[in-house]
Amino acid sequence: MPIPNQLPHDFEWGFATAAYQIEGAVDKDGRGKSIWDTFCHLEPSRTKGANGDIACDHYNRYEEDLDLLSAYGAQAYRFSISWSRVIPLGGRNDPVNEAGIAFYNRLIDSLIARGVTPWVTLYHWDLPQALHDRYGGWLNVEESQQDFERYARLCFERFGDRVKNWITLNEPWIVSIFGYATGINAPGRSSINKDASEGDTSTEPWIVGKSLIMSHARAVRLYNREFRASQKGVIGISLNGDYYEPWNAEDDRDKAAAERRMQFHIGWFANPILLAKDYPECMREQLGERLPQFSADEFSLLREAEVDFYGMNYYTAQFARHRSGPPSETDFLGNVDELQENSDGVSIGERSGVHWLRSCPDKFRKHLTRIYRLYQKPIYVTENGCPCPGEDKMTRDEAVRDTYRIKYFETHLDAIAQAINQDAAVVKGYFAWSLLDNLEWSDGFGVRFGVTYTDYDTLERTPKLSARVLKQLFEERMGRQAQKLCQEQDSRAYQSESPKPRM
């Protein structure tokens, strides 16, 4: 009899990180500045006084961190490459930094030596500052995609003999909206944020979105044309997006608002990238000429840039309530209100240690099923995790007993199993966010998402209970199927090696 909530025997799991959040060593061995180096040193601070100058010092302590992966039983590790560490000035005609290449070679080789599969994200928000200064970075659609393609080529050439799993971009929605609409992330451009001195929220995020879409497409087309046959890898993208329920389940306007919000959140990127289609119709209707057009040649490129999987970053869900008036020029949500309680005052889920995240595993299952139904690509959950309530104020000894996180992981793994076994969604893997407590971008070092406690004064790492329990959860959910598979493989091997009877 099958065990409840079992996962496929070949389900892949591990942990995820991002370069700027953990590496540190920002001026070591020839690394150039990124937009996050600049943003974190603005005065007054936009990151609660924190910066990534040292972060978790992963650049110097990576062997220690990879030992944690081994101890936790991880099969895979998702990390990002710092663009400005390998091409300090970022551009297609700029020199390569061999010391930066050597660091990632050491990291990749150390993972493989431990039996851990590397998953590489090319871009996790840290654009080289030189490109932003040179032509506006992502605000220049033509220049940015050419430079990103050259950067991708360098990575495929230098690492692709060992790296077989590629993610082009992490969360282009966050890059576009938080960087160029609200201005709470680097480079901090906004016309609605009092702390921002530059930017146009009504136009810039949509330009940046197109730059990211076309840069992704260039990298995938390049891989498909020149590297796939010899390297035999896979390539995809990681998109973030909450799941939305109608604020009033009986109101058709709120039902439409929930769907519209997901189209503005996910369809914006998923429709062109996964379907080679135009942006969702609701976006065209609201944004008009502010939403860039795709040319016939660009659609041709998108069709050629077929991906292998959908990387899903999921943390929480929300309620969507329609707005009765017309949208403002700076609206980027789809003319809806986002709420954590519905019209009856019922919470979307249990509160976590950060205001925007509530635990909603039932909505996660719906999200997985919806995304697979719409885009028909195998899903890898490339980020999922949470901070515990009050964890930012706990001592180390208190923080390592992270029972809330354990429950979050357990219920969300159950949701994956239900989506697979009952809803016929194809979900192939899971990466917990994050391996370490780290720099949580504009939230600084307060919010802790790691399964490993980081002491930011001593940089000592201490495993939390969730790290051990997560390993146990996967062993329980995959154990019987994995055992059966091994038995079948052993049987086939025995039969093939047994002497054949003479005729």
Side-chain angles (χ1 to χ4, degrees), residues 118-155:
W119 280 68
V120 171
T121 304
L122 293 174
Y123 185 74
H124 201 126
W125 305 0
D126 46 354
L127 182 77
Q129 181 66 41
L131 298 186
H132 185 78
D133 295 339
R134 187 177 296 171
Y135 53 72
W138 297 120
L139 288 168
N140 189 315
V141 176
E142 294 305 318
E143 293 290 334
S144 60
Q145 62 180 292
Q146 293 181 67
D147 285 340
F148 185 76
E149 183 178 23
R150 187 272 179 129
Y151 163 56
R153 176 184 291 279
L154 176 68
C155 293

Side-chain angles (χ1 to χ4, degrees), residues 191-492:
S191 56
I192 59 174
N193 184 330
K194 62 179 178 55
D195 293 326
S197 59
E198 298 177 309
D200 184 351
T201 299
S202 69
T203 59
E204 288 189 359
W206 316 117
I207 296 169
V208 169
K210 182 175 180 183
S211 292
L212 294 166
I213 290 167
M214 299 314 301
S215 294
H216 157 88
R218 286 255 198 161
V220 175
R221 181 179 66 176
L222 172 67
Y223 191 78
N224 290 345
R225 282 181 173 180
E226 300 186 29
F227 296 94
R228 180 183 292 276
S230 60
Q231 296 183 357
K232 296 178 171 53
V234 295
I235 192 165
I237 187 170
S238 288
L239 301 181
N240 68 297
D242 299 348
Y243 186 81
Y244 289 84
E245 295 276 18
W247 180 72
N248 183 341
E250 305 303 318
D251 192 327
D252 288 341
R253 295 169 299 178
D254 287 349
K255 293 177 184 178
E259 179 60 28
R260 187 166 66 250
R261 181 67 193 95
M262 289 187 280
Q263 292 292 350
F264 266 73
H265 213 160
I266 298 166
W268 176 11
F269 296 98
N271 280 19
I273 287 170
L274 288 115
L275 302 177
K277 290 174 55 177
D278 194 21
Y279 302 113
E281 186 177 340
C282 61
M283 294 185 71
R284 283 277 176 218
E285 289 176 356
Q286 177 174 319
L287 299 169
E289 294 181 358
R290 288 181 287 135
L291 194 60
Q293 300 284 338
F294 292 109
S295 68
D297 286 345
E298 288 169 335
F299 274 122
S300 178
L301 195 166
L302 289 167
R303 285 191 293 272
E304 192 174 351
E306 185 172 357
V307 298
D308 298 286
F309 63 87
Y310 182 110
M312 176 186 288
N313 291 1
Y314 172 88
Y315 291 92
T316 193
Q318 299 187 65
F319 293 110
R321 181 176 64 191
H322 76 281
R323 292 177 180 170
S324 55
S328 69
E329 277 216 335
T330 56
D331 176 70
F332 49 81
L333 301 178
N335 205 28
V336 306
D337 293 320
E338 298 178 313
L339 300 155
Q340 293 178 309
E341 288 85 28
N342 68 10
S343 58
D344 294 324
V346 177
S347 174
I348 194 74
E350 187 178 357
R351 295 174 186 268
S352 72
V354 67
H355 66 92
W356 55 265
L357 194 162
R358 299 192 183 186
S359 180
C360 316
D362 56 328
K363 309 302 185 291
F364 184 34
R365 175 181 171 181
K366 290 183 178 182
H367 192 49
L368 289 162
T369 303
R370 176 182 182 273
I371 291 299
Y372 183 71
R373 174 178 53 81
L374 286 174
Y375 301 110
Q376 293 292 302
K377 290 290 183 182
I379 297 170
Y380 285 87
V381 179
T382 44
E383 288 182 26
N384 181 241
C386 67
C388 301
E391 190 172 8
D392 56 328
K393 296 179 176 62
M394 291 179 184
T395 65
R396 180 191 65 179
D397 290 344
E398 292 170 335
V400 297
R401 296 190 293 273
D402 53 344
T403 54
Y404 179 94
R405 181 175 291 109
I406 290 169
K407 180 181 176 184
Y408 182 97
F409 283 148
E410 185 171 19
T411 56
H412 283 70
L413 291 181
D414 287 347
I416 293 174
Q418 291 158 9
I420 294 170
N421 297 325
Q422 299 177 43
D423 306 331
V426 177
V427 188
K428 304 286 286 183
Y430 178 92
F431 292 85
W433 186 269
S434 176
L435 176 63
L436 306 169
D437 291 335
N438 54 49
L439 174 67
E440 192 53 41
W441 306 108
S442 57
D443 279 334
F445 289 111
V447 178
R448 293 178 177 267
F449 275 84
V451 299
T452 308
Y453 181 89
T454 304
D455 185 319
Y456 296 118
D457 294 322
T458 67
L459 297 176
E460 180 183 5
R461 280 88 153 124
T462 305
K464 301 178 187 178
L465 183 60
S466 59
R468 185 170 76 245
V469 171
L470 191 58
K471 177 183 177 181
Q472 294 171 351
L473 290 173
F474 277 107
E475 287 176 346
E476 291 169 1
R477 284 157 172 73
M478 299 168 61
R480 290 190 182 179
Q481 282 199 350
Q483 184 179 18
K484 181 180 178 183
L485 178 72
C486 290
Q487 290 171 344
E488 291 172 349
Q489 290 174 335
D490 290 345
S491 175
R492 286 196 296 269

